[in-house]
C-alpha cells in the first residue's frame, strides 16, 4: 500500500505473451444491498485462493473504481490455459461463485451488473513506462526494469519486443 517509488523511468519486465483479464460489477440500485453485496464479496475469497497457489497462473491484480457504482479488477495471468483451468476447476471457489452470481443475475431485477473481458496480447503488442512509481500494473505482476533495458520511447520498446518475437 505504501510501496516505495522506483526513481526515474522504468518498464515492466514482462516477456512473451500477456494475458489480461478484466472483470467487474456495476451497482445499478444502491438500495438493493442484499442483491449486490454477495456479488461484491465473492472476489476476495477467490483472490486469496489464487494468491496461496503459486501454480495458479495469476501473476498480479489490482482493484479499481470507475465511479461509486463501478468496480473492477485488472488481472495478469501467465497463460490463457491457466486462466481457463481455474475458471473450470470444480474444486475451486470460482465454480461456486459463478453459480451464485448466475443465480443473482437471473433473479436480481437488474440490481447489479457484471462483466468480464479477456485479452491475449502477443509479444510486440504491449509496452509500458512508469515514472517515479512503485511497481504497478504489469510491472507489479512481472517485475521492474530500468527503461534503458527496453528502449527510451514506446516505439523503441514495441520494436524491440517485435524483434524478440521473430527470433
Amino acid at each position: 500500500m505504501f510501496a516505495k517509488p522506483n526513481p526515474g523511468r522504468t518498464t515492466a519486465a514482462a516477456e512473451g505473451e500477456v494475458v489480461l483479464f478484466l472483470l467487474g460489477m456495476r451497482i445499478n440500485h444502491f438500495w438493493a444491498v442484499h442483491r449486490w453485496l454477495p456479488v461484491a464479496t465473492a472476489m476476495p475469497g477467490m483472490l486469496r485462493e489464487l494468491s496461496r497457489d503459486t501454480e495458479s497462473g495469476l501473476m498480479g491484480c489490482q482493484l479499481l473504481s470507475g465511479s461509486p457504482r463501478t468496480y473492477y479488477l485488472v488481472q495478469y495471468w501467465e497463460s490463457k490455459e491457466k486462466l481457463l483451468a481455474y475458471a473450470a476447476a470444480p474444486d475451486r471457489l470460482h465454480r461456486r461463485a459463478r453459480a451464485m452470481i448466475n443465480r443473482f443475475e437471473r433473479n436480481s431485477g437488474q440490481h447489479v451488473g457484471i462483466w468480464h473481458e479477456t485479452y491475449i496480447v502477443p509479444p510486440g503488442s504491449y509496452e509500458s513506462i512508469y515514472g517515479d512509481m512503485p511497481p504497478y500494473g504489469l510491472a507489479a505482476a512481472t517485475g521492474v526494469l530500468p527503461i534503458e533495458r527496453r528502449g527510451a520511447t514506446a516505439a523503441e520498446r514495441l520494436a524491440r519486443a517485435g524483434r524478440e518475437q521473430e527470433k
Side-chain angles (χ1 to χ4, degrees), residues 108-157:
S108 78
Q110 299 178 341
H111 296 301
V112 61
I114 57 169
W115 61 274
H116 84 253
E117 300 172 353
T118 307
Y119 300 93
I120 312 301
V121 187
S125 298
Y126 61 89
E127 66 84 32
S128 61
I129 185 169
Y130 311 91
D132 298 320
M133 285 284 295
Y136 191 82
L138 186 59
T142 63
V144 177
L145 293 174
I147 198 79
E148 297 79 26
R149 297 261 307 269
R150 296 279 169 90
T153 67
E156 289 172 1
R157 290 187 296 279

mmCIF file of all heavy atoms in Angstrom, residues 108-157:
data_model
loop_
_atom_site.group_PDB
_atom_site.id
_atom_site.type_symbol
_atom_site.label_atom_id
_atom_site.label_comp_id
_atom_site.label_asym_id
_atom_site.label_seq_id
_atom_site.Cartn_x
_atom_site.Cartn_y
_atom_site.Cartn_z
ATOM 1 N N SER A 108 -32.055 -10.936 -10.022
ATOM 2 C CA SER A 108 -31.681 -9.678 -9.384
ATOM 3 C C SER A 108 -32.605 -8.519 -9.674
ATOM 4 O O SER A 108 -32.550 -7.507 -8.989
ATOM 5 C CB SER A 108 -30.259 -9.276 -9.790
ATOM 6 O OG SER A 108 -30.267 -8.719 -11.095
ATOM 7 N N GLY A 109 -33.445 -8.619 -10.679
ATOM 8 C CA GLY A 109 -34.216 -7.453 -11.048
ATOM 9 C C GLY A 109 -33.313 -6.352 -11.565
ATOM 10 O O GLY A 109 -33.609 -5.172 -11.430
ATOM 11 N N GLN A 110 -32.182 -6.734 -12.110
ATOM 12 C CA GLN A 110 -31.194 -5.825 -12.683
ATOM 13 C C GLN A 110 -30.601 -4.872 -11.644
ATOM 14 O O GLN A 110 -30.246 -3.742 -11.949
ATOM 15 C CB GLN A 110 -31.791 -5.058 -13.861
ATOM 16 C CG GLN A 110 -32.242 -5.979 -14.969
ATOM 17 C CD GLN A 110 -32.873 -5.244 -16.130
ATOM 18 O OE1 GLN A 110 -33.300 -4.099 -16.013
ATOM 19 N NE2 GLN A 110 -32.932 -5.916 -17.255
ATOM 20 N N HIS A 111 -30.443 -5.336 -10.410
ATOM 21 C CA HIS A 111 -29.861 -4.504 -9.355
ATOM 22 C C HIS A 111 -28.347 -4.404 -9.458
ATOM 23 O O HIS A 111 -27.748 -3.450 -8.983
ATOM 24 C CB HIS A 111 -30.237 -5.051 -7.972
ATOM 25 C CG HIS A 111 -31.704 -5.008 -7.706
ATOM 26 N ND1 HIS A 111 -32.434 -3.845 -7.731
ATOM 27 C CD2 HIS A 111 -32.583 -5.990 -7.418
ATOM 28 C CE1 HIS A 111 -33.700 -4.107 -7.460
ATOM 29 N NE2 HIS A 111 -33.822 -5.406 -7.273
ATOM 30 N N VAL A 112 -27.738 -5.429 -10.062
ATOM 31 C CA VAL A 112 -26.278 -5.445 -10.190
ATOM 32 C C VAL A 112 -25.923 -5.970 -11.580
ATOM 33 O O VAL A 112 -26.531 -6.913 -12.078
ATOM 34 C CB VAL A 112 -25.619 -6.293 -9.081
ATOM 35 C CG1 VAL A 112 -26.061 -7.740 -9.139
ATOM 36 C CG2 VAL A 112 -24.105 -6.211 -9.138
ATOM 37 N N GLY A 113 -24.951 -5.314 -12.198
ATOM 38 C CA GLY A 113 -24.447 -5.774 -13.490
ATOM 39 C C GLY A 113 -23.061 -6.367 -13.318
ATOM 40 O O GLY A 113 -22.297 -5.942 -12.445
ATOM 41 N N ILE A 114 -22.739 -7.354 -14.122
ATOM 42 C CA ILE A 114 -21.411 -7.979 -14.067
ATOM 43 C C ILE A 114 -20.860 -8.083 -15.479
ATOM 44 O O ILE A 114 -21.614 -8.126 -16.457
ATOM 45 C CB ILE A 114 -21.453 -9.367 -13.400
ATOM 46 C CG1 ILE A 114 -22.422 -10.296 -14.129
ATOM 47 C CG2 ILE A 114 -21.826 -9.248 -11.933
ATOM 48 C CD1 ILE A 114 -22.334 -11.735 -13.703
ATOM 49 N N TRP A 115 -19.550 -8.118 -15.585
ATOM 50 C CA TRP A 115 -18.907 -8.229 -16.893
ATOM 51 C C TRP A 115 -17.494 -8.774 -16.736
ATOM 52 O O TRP A 115 -16.931 -8.729 -15.657
ATOM 53 C CB TRP A 115 -18.875 -6.867 -17.599
ATOM 54 C CG TRP A 115 -18.098 -5.828 -16.855
ATOM 55 C CD1 TRP A 115 -18.564 -5.017 -15.854
ATOM 56 C CD2 TRP A 115 -16.717 -5.512 -17.006
ATOM 57 N NE1 TRP A 115 -17.554 -4.210 -15.390
ATOM 58 C CE2 TRP A 115 -16.410 -4.477 -16.078
ATOM 59 C CE3 TRP A 115 -15.707 -5.973 -17.841
ATOM 60 C CZ2 TRP A 115 -15.146 -3.920 -15.969
ATOM 61 C CZ3 TRP A 115 -14.438 -5.418 -17.722
ATOM 62 C CH2 TRP A 115 -14.175 -4.391 -16.803
ATOM 63 N N HIS A 116 -16.982 -9.312 -17.827
ATOM 64 C CA HIS A 116 -15.548 -9.616 -17.900
ATOM 65 C C HIS A 116 -15.104 -9.582 -19.352
ATOM 66 O O HIS A 116 -15.898 -9.765 -20.264
ATOM 67 C CB HIS A 116 -15.185 -10.935 -17.199
ATOM 68 C CG HIS A 116 -15.377 -12.168 -18.012
ATOM 69 N ND1 HIS A 116 -16.394 -13.053 -17.783
ATOM 70 C CD2 HIS A 116 -14.672 -12.670 -19.045
ATOM 71 C CE1 HIS A 116 -16.311 -14.056 -18.641
ATOM 72 N NE2 HIS A 116 -15.282 -13.846 -19.416
ATOM 73 N N GLU A 117 -13.812 -9.313 -19.530
ATOM 74 C CA GLU A 117 -13.179 -9.297 -20.842
ATOM 75 C C GLU A 117 -11.812 -9.960 -20.699
ATOM 76 O O GLU A 117 -11.129 -9.766 -19.694
ATOM 77 C CB GLU A 117 -12.980 -7.863 -21.339
ATOM 78 C CG GLU A 117 -14.261 -7.079 -21.488
ATOM 79 C CD GLU A 117 -14.061 -5.610 -21.788
ATOM 80 O OE1 GLU A 117 -12.913 -5.116 -21.772
ATOM 81 O OE2 GLU A 117 -15.077 -4.947 -22.040
ATOM 82 N N THR A 118 -11.426 -10.724 -21.705
ATOM 83 C CA THR A 118 -10.130 -11.391 -21.710
ATOM 84 C C THR A 118 -9.375 -10.974 -22.967
ATOM 85 O O THR A 118 -9.935 -11.016 -24.065
ATOM 86 C CB THR A 118 -10.300 -12.925 -21.708
ATOM 87 O OG1 THR A 118 -11.154 -13.299 -20.632
ATOM 88 C CG2 THR A 118 -8.963 -13.627 -21.584
ATOM 89 N N TYR A 119 -8.125 -10.588 -22.787
ATOM 90 C CA TYR A 119 -7.277 -10.199 -23.908
ATOM 91 C C TYR A 119 -6.004 -11.037 -23.874
ATOM 92 O O TYR A 119 -5.331 -11.096 -22.855
ATOM 93 C CB TYR A 119 -6.898 -8.715 -23.820
ATOM 94 C CG TYR A 119 -8.104 -7.807 -23.845
ATOM 95 C CD1 TYR A 119 -8.690 -7.388 -22.658
ATOM 96 C CD2 TYR A 119 -8.662 -7.389 -25.050
ATOM 97 C CE1 TYR A 119 -9.814 -6.567 -22.672
ATOM 98 C CE2 TYR A 119 -9.777 -6.567 -25.072
ATOM 99 C CZ TYR A 119 -10.346 -6.154 -23.876
ATOM 100 O OH TYR A 119 -11.448 -5.351 -23.892
ATOM 101 N N ILE A 120 -5.683 -11.655 -25.000
ATOM 102 C CA ILE A 120 -4.430 -12.386 -25.161
ATOM 103 C C ILE A 120 -3.540 -11.475 -25.998
ATOM 104 O O ILE A 120 -3.798 -11.251 -27.180
ATOM 105 C CB ILE A 120 -4.650 -13.743 -25.873
ATOM 106 C CG1 ILE A 120 -5.821 -14.511 -25.255
ATOM 107 C CG2 ILE A 120 -3.357 -14.538 -25.886
ATOM 108 C CD1 ILE A 120 -5.694 -14.820 -23.793
ATOM 109 N N VAL A 121 -2.501 -10.940 -25.377
ATOM 110 C CA VAL A 121 -1.674 -9.920 -26.014
ATOM 111 C C VAL A 121 -0.341 -10.555 -26.421
ATOM 112 O O VAL A 121 0.453 -10.932 -25.552
ATOM 113 C CB VAL A 121 -1.442 -8.727 -25.066
ATOM 114 C CG1 VAL A 121 -0.735 -7.596 -25.801
ATOM 115 C CG2 VAL A 121 -2.766 -8.241 -24.465
ATOM 116 N N PRO A 122 -0.094 -10.666 -27.719
ATOM 117 C CA PRO A 122 1.145 -11.308 -28.157
ATOM 118 C C PRO A 122 2.360 -10.417 -27.918
ATOM 119 O O PRO A 122 2.242 -9.200 -27.795
ATOM 120 C CB PRO A 122 0.916 -11.525 -29.664
ATOM 121 C CG PRO A 122 -0.120 -10.537 -30.054
ATOM 122 C CD PRO A 122 -0.953 -10.273 -28.833
ATOM 123 N N PRO A 123 3.539 -11.032 -27.872
ATOM 124 C CA PRO A 123 4.769 -10.241 -27.738
ATOM 125 C C PRO A 123 4.844 -9.207 -28.858
ATOM 126 O O PRO A 123 4.410 -9.455 -29.977
ATOM 127 C CB PRO A 123 5.884 -11.279 -27.883
ATOM 128 C CG PRO A 123 5.246 -12.590 -27.629
ATOM 129 C CD PRO A 123 3.804 -12.457 -28.029
ATOM 130 N N GLY A 124 5.368 -8.045 -28.542
ATOM 131 C CA GLY A 124 5.482 -6.982 -29.531
ATOM 132 C C GLY A 124 4.236 -6.119 -29.628
ATOM 133 O O GLY A 124 4.190 -5.180 -30.411
ATOM 134 N N SER A 125 3.224 -6.433 -28.835
ATOM 135 C CA SER A 125 1.966 -5.689 -28.890
ATOM 136 C C SER A 125 1.656 -4.963 -27.592
ATOM 137 O O SER A 125 0.533 -4.515 -27.394
ATOM 138 C CB SER A 125 0.813 -6.646 -29.224
ATOM 139 O OG SER A 125 1.011 -7.225 -30.486
ATOM 140 N N TYR A 126 2.619 -4.868 -26.710
ATOM 141 C CA TYR A 126 2.437 -4.121 -25.474
ATOM 142 C C TYR A 126 3.760 -3.495 -25.069
ATOM 143 O O TYR A 126 4.821 -3.963 -25.472
ATOM 144 C CB TYR A 126 1.896 -4.997 -24.337
ATOM 145 C CG TYR A 126 2.803 -6.145 -23.970
ATOM 146 C CD1 TYR A 126 3.805 -6.007 -23.017
ATOM 147 C CD2 TYR A 126 2.664 -7.386 -24.574
ATOM 148 C CE1 TYR A 126 4.643 -7.056 -22.689
ATOM 149 C CE2 TYR A 126 3.491 -8.447 -24.252
ATOM 150 C CZ TYR A 126 4.485 -8.271 -23.311
ATOM 151 O OH TYR A 126 5.319 -9.310 -22.998
ATOM 152 N N GLU A 127 3.684 -2.429 -24.327
ATOM 153 C CA GLU A 127 4.861 -1.786 -23.765
ATOM 154 C C GLU A 127 4.380 -1.006 -22.554
ATOM 155 O O GLU A 127 3.176 -0.827 -22.352
ATOM 156 C CB GLU A 127 5.571 -0.897 -24.788
ATOM 157 C CG GLU A 127 4.806 0.319 -25.246
ATOM 158 C CD GLU A 127 4.945 1.520 -24.331
ATOM 159 O OE1 GLU A 127 6.000 1.695 -23.700
ATOM 160 O OE2 GLU A 127 3.987 2.273 -24.228
ATOM 161 N N SER A 128 5.311 -0.549 -21.734
ATOM 162 C CA SER A 128 4.918 0.175 -20.528
ATOM 163 C C SER A 128 6.005 1.148 -20.115
ATOM 164 O O SER A 128 7.171 0.969 -20.460
ATOM 165 C CB SER A 128 4.650 -0.813 -19.386
ATOM 166 O OG SER A 128 5.825 -1.550 -19.092
ATOM 167 N N ILE A 129 5.593 2.162 -19.391
ATOM 168 C CA ILE A 129 6.534 3.102 -18.796
ATOM 169 C C ILE A 129 5.927 3.582 -17.481
ATOM 170 O O ILE A 129 4.717 3.777 -17.364
ATOM 171 C CB ILE A 129 6.838 4.297 -19.724
ATOM 172 C CG1 ILE A 129 7.926 5.184 -19.101
ATOM 173 C CG2 ILE A 129 5.592 5.078 -20.050
ATOM 174 C CD1 ILE A 129 8.473 6.229 -20.036
ATOM 175 N N TYR A 130 6.786 3.702 -16.495
ATOM 176 C CA TYR A 130 6.401 4.176 -15.168
ATOM 177 C C TYR A 130 7.429 5.221 -14.747
ATOM 178 O O TYR A 130 8.623 4.959 -14.827
ATOM 179 C CB TYR A 130 6.372 3.024 -14.158
ATOM 180 C CG TYR A 130 5.594 1.830 -14.662
ATOM 181 C CD1 TYR A 130 6.223 0.806 -15.354
ATOM 182 C CD2 TYR A 130 4.222 1.750 -14.478
ATOM 183 C CE1 TYR A 130 5.515 -0.280 -15.840
ATOM 184 C CE2 TYR A 130 3.497 0.669 -14.964
ATOM 185 C CZ TYR A 130 4.147 -0.341 -15.641
ATOM 186 O OH TYR A 130 3.436 -1.407 -16.126
ATOM 187 N N GLY A 131 6.982 6.382 -14.342
ATOM 188 C CA GLY A 131 7.884 7.435 -13.904
ATOM 189 C C GLY A 131 7.740 7.686 -12.417
ATOM 190 O O GLY A 131 6.652 8.064 -11.961
ATOM 191 N N ASP A 132 8.807 7.419 -11.672
ATOM 192 C CA ASP A 132 8.803 7.620 -10.215
ATOM 193 C C ASP A 132 7.613 6.937 -9.551
ATOM 194 O O ASP A 132 6.917 7.510 -8.705
ATOM 195 C CB ASP A 132 8.810 9.123 -9.878
ATOM 196 C CG ASP A 132 10.058 9.815 -10.407
ATOM 197 O OD1 ASP A 132 11.148 9.216 -10.309
ATOM 198 O OD2 ASP A 132 9.942 10.937 -10.921
ATOM 199 N N MET A 133 7.353 5.704 -9.959
ATOM 200 C CA MET A 133 6.228 4.918 -9.458
ATOM 201 C C MET A 133 6.716 3.661 -8.746
ATOM 202 O O MET A 133 7.710 3.073 -9.170
ATOM 203 C CB MET A 133 5.347 4.442 -10.631
ATOM 204 C CG MET A 133 4.466 5.481 -11.251
ATOM 205 S SD MET A 133 3.034 5.858 -10.238
ATOM 206 C CE MET A 133 2.126 4.309 -10.250
ATOM 207 N N PRO A 134 5.997 3.240 -7.713
ATOM 208 C CA PRO A 134 6.254 1.886 -7.205
ATOM 209 C C PRO A 134 5.772 0.888 -8.260
ATOM 210 O O PRO A 134 5.069 1.273 -9.198
ATOM 211 C CB PRO A 134 5.403 1.813 -5.933
ATOM 212 C CG PRO A 134 4.388 2.884 -6.062
ATOM 213 C CD PRO A 134 4.940 3.924 -7.002
ATOM 214 N N PRO A 135 6.132 -0.372 -8.141
ATOM 215 C CA PRO A 135 5.647 -1.353 -9.111
ATOM 216 C C PRO A 135 4.121 -1.289 -9.202
ATOM 217 O O PRO A 135 3.421 -1.329 -8.193
ATOM 218 C CB PRO A 135 6.112 -2.690 -8.535
ATOM 219 C CG PRO A 135 7.314 -2.335 -7.725
ATOM 220 C CD PRO A 135 7.007 -0.981 -7.141
ATOM 221 N N TYR A 136 3.622 -1.167 -10.419
ATOM 222 C CA TYR A 136 2.190 -1.005 -10.646
ATOM 223 C C TYR A 136 1.810 -1.710 -11.942
ATOM 224 O O TYR A 136 2.614 -1.823 -12.859
ATOM 225 C CB TYR A 136 1.847 0.496 -10.739
ATOM 226 C CG TYR A 136 0.370 0.768 -10.715
ATOM 227 C CD1 TYR A 136 -0.321 0.814 -9.520
ATOM 228 C CD2 TYR A 136 -0.332 0.951 -11.895
ATOM 229 C CE1 TYR A 136 -1.680 1.045 -9.493
ATOM 230 C CE2 TYR A 136 -1.704 1.180 -11.876
ATOM 231 C CZ TYR A 136 -2.366 1.226 -10.670
ATOM 232 O OH TYR A 136 -3.712 1.432 -10.642
ATOM 233 N N GLY A 137 0.594 -2.165 -12.026
ATOM 234 C CA GLY A 137 0.097 -2.781 -13.252
ATOM 235 C C GLY A 137 0.923 -3.976 -13.670
ATOM 236 O O GLY A 137 1.239 -4.859 -12.869
ATOM 237 N N LEU A 138 1.293 -3.987 -14.930
ATOM 238 C CA LEU A 138 2.073 -5.102 -15.473
ATOM 239 C C LEU A 138 3.412 -5.248 -14.760
ATOM 240 O O LEU A 138 3.886 -6.360 -14.531
ATOM 241 C CB LEU A 138 2.269 -4.896 -16.978
ATOM 242 C CG LEU A 138 2.932 -6.012 -17.750
ATOM 243 C CD1 LEU A 138 2.161 -7.323 -17.626
ATOM 244 C CD2 LEU A 138 3.081 -5.613 -19.216
ATOM 245 N N ALA A 139 4.013 -4.124 -14.371
ATOM 246 C CA ALA A 139 5.304 -4.188 -13.659
ATOM 247 C C ALA A 139 5.154 -4.829 -12.285
ATOM 248 O O ALA A 139 6.048 -5.531 -11.828
ATOM 249 C CB ALA A 139 5.909 -2.796 -13.528
ATOM 250 N N ALA A 140 4.040 -4.612 -11.612
ATOM 251 C CA ALA A 140 3.805 -5.261 -10.320
ATOM 252 C C ALA A 140 3.648 -6.771 -10.506
ATOM 253 O O ALA A 140 4.024 -7.557 -9.642
ATOM 254 C CB ALA A 140 2.576 -4.679 -9.630
ATOM 255 N N ALA A 141 3.106 -7.170 -11.647
ATOM 256 C CA ALA A 141 2.890 -8.592 -11.917
ATOM 257 C C ALA A 141 4.142 -9.296 -12.405
ATOM 258 O O ALA A 141 4.330 -10.487 -12.134
ATOM 259 C CB ALA A 141 1.769 -8.759 -12.947
ATOM 260 N N THR A 142 5.012 -8.594 -13.125
ATOM 261 C CA THR A 142 6.139 -9.270 -13.778
ATOM 262 C C THR A 142 7.512 -8.791 -13.338
ATOM 263 O O THR A 142 8.513 -9.399 -13.699
ATOM 264 C CB THR A 142 6.052 -9.096 -15.309
ATOM 265 O OG1 THR A 142 6.170 -7.702 -15.634
ATOM 266 C CG2 THR A 142 4.752 -9.648 -15.850
ATOM 267 N N GLY A 143 7.575 -7.699 -12.602
ATOM 268 C CA GLY A 143 8.853 -7.133 -12.192
ATOM 269 C C GLY A 143 9.151 -5.844 -12.936
ATOM 270 O O GLY A 143 8.483 -5.504 -13.915
ATOM 271 N N VAL A 144 10.160 -5.139 -12.458
ATOM 272 C CA VAL A 144 10.501 -3.810 -12.971
ATOM 273 C C VAL A 144 11.911 -3.829 -13.554
ATOM 274 O O VAL A 144 12.806 -4.451 -12.991
ATOM 275 C CB VAL A 144 10.432 -2.772 -11.825
ATOM 276 C CG1 VAL A 144 10.849 -1.398 -12.299
ATOM 277 C CG2 VAL A 144 9.034 -2.730 -11.231
ATOM 278 N N LEU A 145 12.075 -3.156 -14.666
ATOM 279 C CA LEU A 145 13.394 -2.988 -15.298
ATOM 280 C C LEU A 145 13.657 -1.506 -15.530
ATOM 281 O O LEU A 145 12.721 -0.742 -15.781
ATOM 282 C CB LEU A 145 13.428 -3.673 -16.667
ATOM 283 C CG LEU A 145 13.346 -5.181 -16.727
ATOM 284 C CD1 LEU A 145 13.254 -5.632 -18.180
ATOM 285 C CD2 LEU A 145 14.564 -5.798 -16.060
ATOM 286 N N PRO A 146 14.921 -1.103 -15.517
ATOM 287 C CA PRO A 146 15.230 0.264 -15.941
ATOM 288 C C PRO A 146 14.806 0.441 -17.398
ATOM 289 O O PRO A 146 14.962 -0.475 -18.218
ATOM 290 C CB PRO A 146 16.753 0.354 -15.815
ATOM 291 C CG PRO A 146 17.148 -0.802 -14.958
ATOM 292 C CD PRO A 146 16.101 -1.855 -15.128
ATOM 293 N N ILE A 147 14.273 1.579 -17.725
ATOM 294 C CA ILE A 147 13.742 1.830 -19.071
ATOM 295 C C ILE A 147 14.794 1.600 -20.155
ATOM 296 O O ILE A 147 14.481 1.121 -21.242
ATOM 297 C CB ILE A 147 13.130 3.248 -19.166
ATOM 298 C CG1 ILE A 147 12.193 3.366 -20.370
ATOM 299 C CG2 ILE A 147 14.183 4.313 -19.226
ATOM 300 C CD1 ILE A 147 10.856 2.783 -20.152
ATOM 301 N N GLU A 148 16.051 1.883 -19.849
ATOM 302 C CA GLU A 148 17.125 1.753 -20.837
ATOM 303 C C GLU A 148 17.264 0.323 -21.356
ATOM 304 O O GLU A 148 17.753 0.095 -22.456
ATOM 305 C CB GLU A 148 18.470 2.199 -20.243
ATOM 306 C CG GLU A 148 18.516 3.660 -19.835
ATOM 307 C CD GLU A 148 17.845 3.926 -18.489
ATOM 308 O OE1 GLU A 148 17.772 3.020 -17.627
ATOM 309 O OE2 GLU A 148 17.365 5.053 -18.305
ATOM 310 N N ARG A 149 16.839 -0.653 -20.546
ATOM 311 C CA ARG A 149 16.959 -2.060 -20.961
ATOM 312 C C ARG A 149 16.017 -2.403 -22.108
ATOM 313 O O ARG A 149 16.227 -3.388 -22.812
ATOM 314 C CB ARG A 149 16.656 -2.981 -19.776
ATOM 315 C CG ARG A 149 17.602 -2.846 -18.623
ATOM 316 C CD ARG A 149 18.694 -3.892 -18.561
ATOM 317 N NE ARG A 149 18.269 -5.261 -18.618
ATOM 318 C CZ ARG A 149 17.969 -6.024 -17.566
ATOM 319 N NH1 ARG A 149 18.048 -5.525 -16.347
ATOM 320 N NH2 ARG A 149 17.613 -7.265 -17.723
ATOM 321 N N ARG A 150 14.950 -1.598 -22.283
ATOM 322 C CA ARG A 150 13.948 -1.898 -23.305
ATOM 323 C C ARG A 150 13.807 -0.820 -24.368
ATOM 324 O O ARG A 150 13.178 -1.048 -25.385
ATOM 325 C CB ARG A 150 12.580 -2.119 -22.642
ATOM 326 C CG ARG A 150 12.528 -3.324 -21.719
ATOM 327 C CD ARG A 150 12.340 -4.583 -22.544
ATOM 328 N NE ARG A 150 12.518 -5.793 -21.812
ATOM 329 C CZ ARG A 150 11.564 -6.456 -21.170
ATOM 330 N NH1 ARG A 150 10.351 -5.990 -21.121
ATOM 331 N NH2 ARG A 150 11.841 -7.579 -20.559
ATOM 332 N N GLY A 151 14.333 0.378 -24.129
ATOM 333 C CA GLY A 151 14.222 1.464 -25.101
ATOM 334 C C GLY A 151 13.627 2.701 -24.460
ATOM 335 O O GLY A 151 12.766 2.610 -23.595
ATOM 336 N N ALA A 152 14.065 3.860 -24.917
ATOM 337 C CA ALA A 152 13.650 5.129 -24.312
ATOM 338 C C ALA A 152 12.250 5.553 -24.723
ATOM 339 O O ALA A 152 11.588 6.293 -24.004
ATOM 340 C CB ALA A 152 14.654 6.221 -24.668
ATOM 341 N N THR A 153 11.779 5.103 -25.878
ATOM 342 C CA THR A 153 10.451 5.521 -26.350
ATOM 343 C C THR A 153 9.542 4.304 -26.501
ATOM 344 O O THR A 153 10.008 3.162 -26.597
ATOM 345 C CB THR A 153 10.551 6.229 -27.717
ATOM 346 O OG1 THR A 153 10.965 5.259 -28.696
ATOM 347 C CG2 THR A 153 11.526 7.392 -27.676
ATOM 348 N N ALA A 154 8.258 4.572 -26.569
ATOM 349 C CA ALA A 154 7.287 3.485 -26.776
ATOM 350 C C ALA A 154 7.583 2.769 -28.089
ATOM 351 O O ALA A 154 7.523 1.537 -28.159
ATOM 352 C CB ALA A 154 5.863 4.038 -26.766
ATOM 353 N N ALA A 155 7.903 3.528 -29.141
ATOM 354 C CA ALA A 155 8.206 2.912 -30.436
ATOM 355 C C ALA A 155 9.399 1.969 -30.331
ATOM 356 O O ALA A 155 9.378 0.867 -30.893
ATOM 357 C CB ALA A 155 8.462 3.998 -31.478
ATOM 358 N N GLU A 156 10.434 2.376 -29.616
ATOM 359 C CA GLU A 156 11.611 1.514 -29.441
ATOM 360 C C GLU A 156 11.258 0.254 -28.655
ATOM 361 O O GLU A 156 11.718 -0.840 -28.993
ATOM 362 C CB GLU A 156 12.730 2.274 -28.732
ATOM 363 C CG GLU A 156 13.375 3.342 -29.568
ATOM 364 C CD GLU A 156 14.357 4.196 -28.769
ATOM 365 O OE1 GLU A 156 14.555 3.937 -27.565
ATOM 366 O OE2 GLU A 156 14.915 5.124 -29.364
ATOM 367 N N ARG A 157 10.472 0.401 -27.587
ATOM 368 C CA ARG A 157 10.108 -0.762 -26.771
ATOM 369 C C ARG A 157 9.247 -1.741 -27.565
ATOM 370 O O ARG A 157 9.443 -2.958 -27.490
ATOM 371 C CB ARG A 157 9.414 -0.314 -25.490
ATOM 372 C CG ARG A 157 10.357 0.392 -24.519
ATOM 373 C CD ARG A 157 9.715 0.692 -23.182
ATOM 374 N NE ARG A 157 8.599 1.620 -23.253
ATOM 375 C CZ ARG A 157 8.708 2.956 -23.313
ATOM 376 N NH1 ARG A 157 9.912 3.516 -23.316
ATOM 377 N NH2 ARG A 157 7.646 3.719 -23.352
#
